[in-house]
mmCIF file with all atom_site columns, all heavy atoms in Angstrom:
data_model
loop_
_atom_site.group_PDB
_atom_site.id
_atom_site.type_symbol
_atom_site.label_atom_id
_atom_site.label_alt_id
_atom_site.label_comp_id
_atom_site.label_asym_id
_atom_site.label_entity_id
_atom_site.label_seq_id
_atom_site.pdbx_PDB_ins_code
_atom_site.Cartn_x
_atom_site.Cartn_y
_atom_site.Cartn_z
_atom_site.occupancy
_atom_site.B_iso_or_equiv
_atom_site.pdbx_formal_charge
_atom_site.auth_seq_id
_atom_site.auth_comp_id
_atom_site.auth_asym_id
_atom_site.auth_atom_id
_atom_site.pdbx_PDB_model_num
ATOM 1  N N   . GLY A 1 252 ? 10.129 -9.881 17.890 1.00 0.00 ? 738 GLY A N   1
ATOM 2  C CA  . GLY A 1 252 ? 9.794  -8.991 18.966 1.00 0.00 ? 738 GLY A CA  1
ATOM 3  C C   . GLY A 1 252 ? 10.211 -7.542 18.596 1.00 0.00 ? 738 GLY A C   1
ATOM 4  O O   . GLY A 1 252 ? 9.931  -6.581 19.348 1.00 0.00 ? 738 GLY A O   1
ATOM 5  N N   . LYS A 1 253 ? 10.913 -7.340 17.378 1.00 0.00 ? 739 LYS A N   1
ATOM 6  C CA  . LYS A 1 253 ? 11.279 -5.973 17.031 1.00 0.00 ? 739 LYS A CA  1
ATOM 7  C C   . LYS A 1 253 ? 10.427 -5.525 15.786 1.00 0.00 ? 739 LYS A C   1
ATOM 8  O O   . LYS A 1 253 ? 9.968  -6.330 15.072 1.00 0.00 ? 739 LYS A O   1
ATOM 9  C CB  . LYS A 1 253 ? 12.825 -5.924 16.627 1.00 0.00 ? 739 LYS A CB  1
ATOM 10 C CG  . LYS A 1 253 ? 13.759 -6.255 17.721 1.00 0.00 ? 739 LYS A CG  1
ATOM 11 C CD  . LYS A 1 253 ? 15.189 -6.254 17.319 1.00 0.00 ? 739 LYS A CD  1
ATOM 12 C CE  . LYS A 1 253 ? 16.148 -6.623 18.464 1.00 0.00 ? 739 LYS A CE  1
ATOM 13 N NZ  . LYS A 1 253 ? 16.157 -5.622 19.512 1.00 0.00 ? 739 LYS A NZ  1
ATOM 14 N N   . TYR A 1 254 ? 10.516 -4.208 15.711 1.00 0.00 ? 740 TYR A N   1
ATOM 15 C CA  . TYR A 1 254 ? 9.661  -3.550 14.529 1.00 0.00 ? 740 TYR A CA  1
ATOM 16 C C   . TYR A 1 254 ? 10.686 -3.136 13.526 1.00 0.00 ? 740 TYR A C   1
ATOM 17 O O   . TYR A 1 254 ? 11.707 -2.479 13.761 1.00 0.00 ? 740 TYR A O   1
ATOM 18 C CB  . TYR A 1 254 ? 8.801  -2.447 15.080 1.00 0.00 ? 740 TYR A CB  1
ATOM 19 C CG  . TYR A 1 254 ? 7.867  -2.845 16.207 1.00 0.00 ? 740 TYR A CG  1
ATOM 20 C CD1 . TYR A 1 254 ? 8.264  -2.898 17.495 1.00 0.00 ? 740 TYR A CD1 1
ATOM 21 C CD2 . TYR A 1 254 ? 6.585  -3.242 15.873 1.00 0.00 ? 740 TYR A CD2 1
ATOM 22 C CE1 . TYR A 1 254 ? 7.359  -3.323 18.527 1.00 0.00 ? 740 TYR A CE1 1
ATOM 23 C CE2 . TYR A 1 254 ? 5.700  -3.615 16.795 1.00 0.00 ? 740 TYR A CE2 1
ATOM 24 C CZ  . TYR A 1 254 ? 6.064  -3.681 18.097 1.00 0.00 ? 740 TYR A CZ  1
ATOM 25 O OH  . TYR A 1 254 ? 5.153  -4.076 19.157 1.00 0.00 ? 740 TYR A OH  1
ATOM 26 N N   . TYR A 1 255 ? 10.315 -3.330 12.209 1.00 0.00 ? 741 TYR A N   1
ATOM 27 C CA  . TYR A 1 255 ? 11.244 -2.951 11.130 1.00 0.00 ? 741 TYR A CA  1
ATOM 28 C C   . TYR A 1 255 ? 10.334 -2.107 10.228 1.00 0.00 ? 741 TYR A C   1
ATOM 29 O O   . TYR A 1 255 ? 9.245  -2.310 9.931  1.00 0.00 ? 741 TYR A O   1
ATOM 30 C CB  . TYR A 1 255 ? 11.751 -4.227 10.475 1.00 0.00 ? 741 TYR A CB  1
ATOM 31 C CG  . TYR A 1 255 ? 12.685 -4.876 11.271 1.00 0.00 ? 741 TYR A CG  1
ATOM 32 C CD1 . TYR A 1 255 ? 12.191 -5.971 12.150 1.00 0.00 ? 741 TYR A CD1 1
ATOM 33 C CD2 . TYR A 1 255 ? 14.001 -4.726 11.379 1.00 0.00 ? 741 TYR A CD2 1
ATOM 34 C CE1 . TYR A 1 255 ? 13.065 -6.668 12.988 1.00 0.00 ? 741 TYR A CE1 1
ATOM 35 C CE2 . TYR A 1 255 ? 14.897 -5.403 12.175 1.00 0.00 ? 741 TYR A CE2 1
ATOM 36 C CZ  . TYR A 1 255 ? 14.384 -6.450 12.932 1.00 0.00 ? 741 TYR A CZ  1
ATOM 37 O OH  . TYR A 1 255 ? 15.212 -7.084 13.770 1.00 0.00 ? 741 TYR A OH  1
ATOM 38 N N   . LEU A 1 256 ? 11.013 -1.106 9.664  1.00 0.00 ? 742 LEU A N   1
ATOM 39 C CA  . LEU A 1 256 ? 10.328 -0.148 8.668  1.00 0.00 ? 742 LEU A CA  1
ATOM 40 C C   . LEU A 1 256 ? 11.324 0.043  7.455  1.00 0.00 ? 742 LEU A C   1
ATOM 41 O O   . LEU A 1 256 ? 12.522 0.326  7.618  1.00 0.00 ? 742 LEU A O   1
ATOM 42 C CB  . LEU A 1 256 ? 10.113 1.177  9.433  1.00 0.00 ? 742 LEU A CB  1
ATOM 43 C CG  . LEU A 1 256 ? 9.587  2.334  8.598  1.00 0.00 ? 742 LEU A CG  1
ATOM 44 C CD1 . LEU A 1 256 ? 8.167  2.087  8.146  1.00 0.00 ? 742 LEU A CD1 1
ATOM 45 C CD2 . LEU A 1 256 ? 9.660  3.683  9.405  1.00 0.00 ? 742 LEU A CD2 1
ATOM 46 N N   . VAL A 1 257 ? 10.695 -0.085 6.299  1.00 0.00 ? 743 VAL A N   1
ATOM 47 C CA  . VAL A 1 257 ? 11.372 0.247  5.147  1.00 0.00 ? 743 VAL A CA  1
ATOM 48 C C   . VAL A 1 257 ? 10.681 1.517  4.467  1.00 0.00 ? 743 VAL A C   1
ATOM 49 O O   . VAL A 1 257 ? 9.466  1.640  4.467  1.00 0.00 ? 743 VAL A O   1
ATOM 50 C CB  . VAL A 1 257 ? 11.319 -0.928 4.037  1.00 0.00 ? 743 VAL A CB  1
ATOM 51 C CG1 . VAL A 1 257 ? 11.974 -0.487 2.710  1.00 0.00 ? 743 VAL A CG1 1
ATOM 52 C CG2 . VAL A 1 257 ? 12.049 -2.130 4.574  1.00 0.00 ? 743 VAL A CG2 1
ATOM 53 N N   . THR A 1 258 ? 11.540 2.472  4.020  1.00 0.00 ? 744 THR A N   1
ATOM 54 C CA  . THR A 1 258 ? 10.984 3.704  3.458  1.00 0.00 ? 744 THR A CA  1
ATOM 55 C C   . THR A 1 258 ? 11.732 4.039  2.241  1.00 0.00 ? 744 THR A C   1
ATOM 56 O O   . THR A 1 258 ? 12.739 3.298  1.911  1.00 0.00 ? 744 THR A O   1
ATOM 57 C CB  . THR A 1 258 ? 11.082 4.855  4.372  1.00 0.00 ? 744 THR A CB  1
ATOM 58 O OG1 . THR A 1 258 ? 12.498 5.259  4.654  1.00 0.00 ? 744 THR A OG1 1
ATOM 59 C CG2 . THR A 1 258 ? 10.420 4.612  5.761  1.00 0.00 ? 744 THR A CG2 1
ATOM 60 N N   . SER A 1 259 ? 11.283 5.137  1.498  1.00 0.00 ? 745 SER A N   1
ATOM 61 C CA  . SER A 1 259 ? 12.068 5.666  0.354  1.00 0.00 ? 745 SER A CA  1
ATOM 62 C C   . SER A 1 259 ? 12.488 7.133  0.765  1.00 0.00 ? 745 SER A C   1
ATOM 63 O O   . SER A 1 259 ? 11.905 7.692  1.674  1.00 0.00 ? 745 SER A O   1
ATOM 64 C CB  . SER A 1 259 ? 11.290 5.596  -0.860 1.00 0.00 ? 745 SER A CB  1
ATOM 65 O OG  . SER A 1 259 ? 10.358 6.641  -1.028 1.00 0.00 ? 745 SER A OG  1
ATOM 66 N N   . GLY A 1 260 ? 13.303 7.692  -0.119 1.00 0.00 ? 746 GLY A N   1
ATOM 67 C CA  . GLY A 1 260 ? 13.592 9.125  -0.034 1.00 0.00 ? 746 GLY A CA  1
ATOM 68 C C   . GLY A 1 260 ? 12.543 9.910  -0.835 1.00 0.00 ? 746 GLY A C   1
ATOM 69 O O   . GLY A 1 260 ? 11.557 9.356  -1.220 1.00 0.00 ? 746 GLY A O   1
ATOM 70 N N   . LEU A 1 261 ? 12.815 11.258 -1.013 1.00 0.00 ? 747 LEU A N   1
ATOM 71 C CA  . LEU A 1 261 ? 11.809 12.109 -1.613 1.00 0.00 ? 747 LEU A CA  1
ATOM 72 C C   . LEU A 1 261 ? 12.212 12.603 -2.936 1.00 0.00 ? 747 LEU A C   1
ATOM 73 O O   . LEU A 1 261 ? 12.954 13.580 -3.114 1.00 0.00 ? 747 LEU A O   1
ATOM 74 C CB  . LEU A 1 261 ? 11.662 13.374 -0.636 1.00 0.00 ? 747 LEU A CB  1
ATOM 75 C CG  . LEU A 1 261 ? 11.386 13.120 0.843  1.00 0.00 ? 747 LEU A CG  1
ATOM 76 C CD1 . LEU A 1 261 ? 11.146 14.543 1.532  1.00 0.00 ? 747 LEU A CD1 1
ATOM 77 C CD2 . LEU A 1 261 ? 10.130 12.338 1.009  1.00 0.00 ? 747 LEU A CD2 1
ATOM 78 N N   . THR A 1 262 ? 11.878 11.746 -3.947 1.00 0.00 ? 748 THR A N   1
ATOM 79 C CA  . THR A 1 262 ? 12.247 12.221 -5.296 1.00 0.00 ? 748 THR A CA  1
ATOM 80 C C   . THR A 1 262 ? 10.947 11.984 -6.173 1.00 0.00 ? 748 THR A C   1
ATOM 81 O O   . THR A 1 262 ? 11.084 11.766 -7.368 1.00 0.00 ? 748 THR A O   1
ATOM 82 C CB  . THR A 1 262 ? 13.350 11.281 -5.868 1.00 0.00 ? 748 THR A CB  1
ATOM 83 O OG1 . THR A 1 262 ? 13.025 9.860  -5.742 1.00 0.00 ? 748 THR A OG1 1
ATOM 84 C CG2 . THR A 1 262 ? 14.634 11.515 -5.174 1.00 0.00 ? 748 THR A CG2 1
ATOM 85 N N   . GLY A 1 263 ? 9.742  12.244 -5.612 1.00 0.00 ? 749 GLY A N   1
ATOM 86 C CA  . GLY A 1 263 ? 8.587  12.154 -6.379 1.00 0.00 ? 749 GLY A CA  1
ATOM 87 C C   . GLY A 1 263 ? 8.309  10.727 -7.012 1.00 0.00 ? 749 GLY A C   1
ATOM 88 O O   . GLY A 1 263 ? 8.445  9.760  -6.339 1.00 0.00 ? 749 GLY A O   1
#
Side-chain angles (χ1 to χ4, degrees):
K739 296 181 182 292
Y740 301 86
Y741 294 87
L742 175 67
V743 176
T744 69
S745 81
L747 309 181
T748 54

